[in-house]
Amino acid sequence: MIIRSIEDLSGQYCVDFIEDETSGSFTFKVFRKDPEDYGRWSMMADYSRTSYASQALAVVAAKAVLPWLA
């Protein structure tokens, strides 16, 4: 379940933080919005194979790979 979405200032990039309701772990996925996609979000990176014990740890990990988020 997506628990938090953060867009960059341009509105072109977004990161979704996801909670696995079964395990209680957290992960994230990165999306972008391009005009040729008619404003729809397209996944750029899927980090869901790595899980974190808390949302805060997932945010720290996302900031390490997404300069616009830091």
Side-chain angles (χ1 to χ4, degrees), residues 1 3 8 12 23 26 38-39 44 46 48 55 62-64 70:
M1 169 170 67
I3 56 167
D8 74 335
Q12 185 178 3
S23 67
F26 297 83
Y38 304 104
M44 283 182 50
D46 183 352
S48 62
Q55 180 183 349
K63 286 180 178 181

Side-chain angles (χ1 to χ4, degrees), residues 27-38:
T27 190
F28 61 97
K29 296 181 181 184
V30 183
F31 299 86
R32 78 169 179 229
K33 190 183 333 179
D34 293 318
E36 61 269 13
D37 294 330
Y38 304 104

Side-chain angles (χ1 to χ4, degrees), residues 12-65:
Q12 185 178 3
Y13 298 98
C14 175
V15 59
D16 286 348
F17 292 94
I18 303 157
E19 180 179 10
D20 182 325
E21 294 176 356
T22 304
S23 67
S25 63
F26 297 83
T27 190
F28 61 97
K29 296 181 181 184
V30 183
F31 299 86
R32 78 169 179 229
K33 190 183 333 179
D34 293 318
E36 61 269 13
D37 294 330
Y38 304 104
R40 287 178 280 158
W41 291 106
S42 300
M43 190 179 334
M44 283 182 50
D46 183 352
Y47 293 92
S48 62
R49 290 187 179 184
T50 306
S51 62
Y52 303 91
S54 70
Q55 180 183 349
L57 291 173
V59 170
V60 168
K63 286 180 178 181
V65 295

